[in-house]
mmCIF file of all heavy atoms in Angstrom:
data_model
loop_
_atom_site.group_PDB
_atom_site.id
_atom_site.type_symbol
_atom_site.label_atom_id
_atom_site.label_comp_id
_atom_site.label_asym_id
_atom_site.label_seq_id
_atom_site.Cartn_x
_atom_site.Cartn_y
_atom_site.Cartn_z
ATOM 1 N N ALA A 303 26.718 18.976 -32.698
ATOM 2 C CA ALA A 303 26.627 18.025 -33.736
ATOM 3 C C ALA A 303 25.430 17.832 -34.521
ATOM 4 O O ALA A 303 25.367 17.641 -35.671
ATOM 5 C CB ALA A 303 27.184 16.695 -33.120
ATOM 6 N N LEU A 304 24.234 17.931 -33.820
ATOM 7 C CA LEU A 304 22.990 17.779 -34.409
ATOM 8 C C LEU A 304 22.707 18.871 -35.296
ATOM 9 O O LEU A 304 21.890 18.807 -36.382
ATOM 10 C CB LEU A 304 21.853 17.700 -33.370
ATOM 11 C CG LEU A 304 21.959 16.365 -32.576
ATOM 12 C CD1 LEU A 304 20.820 16.533 -31.318
ATOM 13 C CD2 LEU A 304 21.424 15.240 -33.431
ATOM 14 N N VAL A 305 23.235 20.174 -35.087
ATOM 15 C CA VAL A 305 23.090 21.278 -35.974
ATOM 16 C C VAL A 305 23.530 20.862 -37.331
ATOM 17 O O VAL A 305 22.954 21.247 -38.388
ATOM 18 C CB VAL A 305 23.834 22.539 -35.485
ATOM 19 C CG1 VAL A 305 23.829 23.666 -36.585
ATOM 20 C CG2 VAL A 305 23.148 22.952 -34.134
ATOM 21 N N LYS A 306 24.586 20.207 -37.451
ATOM 22 C CA LYS A 306 25.184 19.696 -38.721
ATOM 23 C C LYS A 306 24.483 18.602 -39.399
ATOM 24 O O LYS A 306 24.688 18.247 -40.566
ATOM 25 C CB LYS A 306 26.775 19.353 -38.458
ATOM 26 C CG LYS A 306 27.594 20.603 -37.921
ATOM 27 C CD LYS A 306 28.944 20.082 -37.664
ATOM 28 C CE LYS A 306 29.777 21.371 -37.091
ATOM 29 N NZ LYS A 306 31.213 20.759 -36.813
ATOM 30 N N HIS A 307 23.785 17.790 -38.540
ATOM 31 C CA HIS A 307 23.096 16.662 -39.052
ATOM 32 C C HIS A 307 21.624 16.584 -38.640
ATOM 33 O O HIS A 307 21.337 15.857 -37.717
ATOM 34 C CB HIS A 307 23.766 15.368 -38.548
ATOM 35 C CG HIS A 307 25.292 15.317 -38.899
ATOM 36 N ND1 HIS A 307 25.786 15.050 -40.187
ATOM 37 C CD2 HIS A 307 26.331 15.703 -38.128
ATOM 38 C CE1 HIS A 307 27.121 15.107 -40.233
ATOM 39 N NE2 HIS A 307 27.436 15.544 -38.894
ATOM 40 N N PRO A 308 20.836 17.483 -39.201
ATOM 41 C CA PRO A 308 19.388 17.688 -38.633
ATOM 42 C C PRO A 308 18.588 16.327 -38.807
ATOM 43 O O PRO A 308 17.534 16.243 -38.086
ATOM 44 C CB PRO A 308 18.865 18.733 -39.599
ATOM 45 C CG PRO A 308 19.778 18.840 -40.777
ATOM 46 C CD PRO A 308 21.116 18.351 -40.238
ATOM 47 N N VAL A 309 18.866 15.451 -39.659
ATOM 48 C CA VAL A 309 18.013 14.231 -39.813
ATOM 49 C C VAL A 309 18.191 13.408 -38.609
ATOM 50 O O VAL A 309 17.297 12.675 -38.220
ATOM 51 C CB VAL A 309 18.481 13.395 -41.060
ATOM 52 C CG1 VAL A 309 19.949 12.773 -40.890
ATOM 53 C CG2 VAL A 309 17.564 12.332 -41.412
ATOM 54 N N VAL A 310 19.286 13.501 -37.846
ATOM 55 C CA VAL A 310 19.319 12.671 -36.662
ATOM 56 C C VAL A 310 18.501 13.313 -35.566
ATOM 57 O O VAL A 310 18.193 12.639 -34.484
ATOM 58 C CB VAL A 310 20.863 12.548 -36.289
ATOM 59 C CG1 VAL A 310 21.067 11.767 -34.930
ATOM 60 C CG2 VAL A 310 21.632 11.983 -37.351
ATOM 61 N N ASN A 311 18.092 14.471 -35.658
ATOM 62 C CA ASN A 311 17.218 15.275 -34.773
ATOM 63 C C ASN A 311 15.725 15.182 -35.247
ATOM 64 O O ASN A 311 14.882 15.918 -34.639
ATOM 65 C CB ASN A 311 17.690 16.744 -34.608
ATOM 66 C CG ASN A 311 16.931 17.412 -33.475
ATOM 67 O OD1 ASN A 311 17.047 16.986 -32.411
ATOM 68 N ND2 ASN A 311 16.434 18.647 -33.765
ATOM 69 N N SER A 312 15.499 14.439 -36.297
ATOM 70 C CA SER A 312 14.133 14.326 -36.849
ATOM 71 C C SER A 312 13.401 13.279 -36.079
ATOM 72 O O SER A 312 13.876 12.521 -35.192
ATOM 73 C CB SER A 312 14.164 14.145 -38.304
ATOM 74 O OG SER A 312 14.756 12.759 -38.562
ATOM 75 N N SER A 313 12.103 13.262 -36.432
ATOM 76 C CA SER A 313 11.250 12.221 -35.722
ATOM 77 C C SER A 313 10.167 11.750 -36.719
ATOM 78 O O SER A 313 9.622 12.521 -37.583
ATOM 79 C CB SER A 313 10.596 12.752 -34.399
ATOM 80 O OG SER A 313 9.927 13.841 -34.662
ATOM 81 N N CYS A 314 9.740 10.545 -36.513
ATOM 82 C CA CYS A 314 8.600 9.918 -37.288
ATOM 83 C C CYS A 314 7.520 9.417 -36.412
ATOM 84 O O CYS A 314 7.820 8.686 -35.533
ATOM 85 C CB CYS A 314 9.085 8.781 -38.127
ATOM 86 S SG CYS A 314 7.862 7.896 -39.089
ATOM 87 N N ARG A 315 6.350 10.023 -36.532
ATOM 88 C CA ARG A 315 5.222 9.581 -35.636
ATOM 89 C C ARG A 315 4.124 8.758 -36.198
ATOM 90 O O ARG A 315 3.363 8.097 -35.613
ATOM 91 C CB ARG A 315 4.693 10.898 -34.994
ATOM 92 C CG ARG A 315 5.778 11.686 -34.124
ATOM 93 C CD ARG A 315 5.132 13.000 -33.511
ATOM 94 N NE ARG A 315 6.143 13.700 -32.783
ATOM 95 C CZ ARG A 315 6.335 13.604 -31.590
ATOM 96 N NH1 ARG A 315 5.830 12.487 -30.789
ATOM 97 N NH2 ARG A 315 7.289 14.341 -30.854
ATOM 98 N N ASP A 316 3.956 9.047 -37.487
ATOM 99 C CA ASP A 316 2.759 8.276 -38.160
ATOM 100 C C ASP A 316 3.108 7.239 -39.087
ATOM 101 O O ASP A 316 2.221 6.619 -39.507
ATOM 102 C CB ASP A 316 1.947 9.320 -38.833
ATOM 103 C CG ASP A 316 2.724 10.028 -40.029
ATOM 104 O OD1 ASP A 316 3.788 9.768 -40.266
ATOM 105 O OD2 ASP A 316 2.069 10.977 -40.590
#
Side-chain angles (χ1 to χ4, degrees):
L304 289 172
V305 171
K306 301 177 181 179
H307 305 279
V309 69
V310 183
N311 191 53
S312 65
S313 58
C314 174
R315 297 180 182 275
D316 59 6

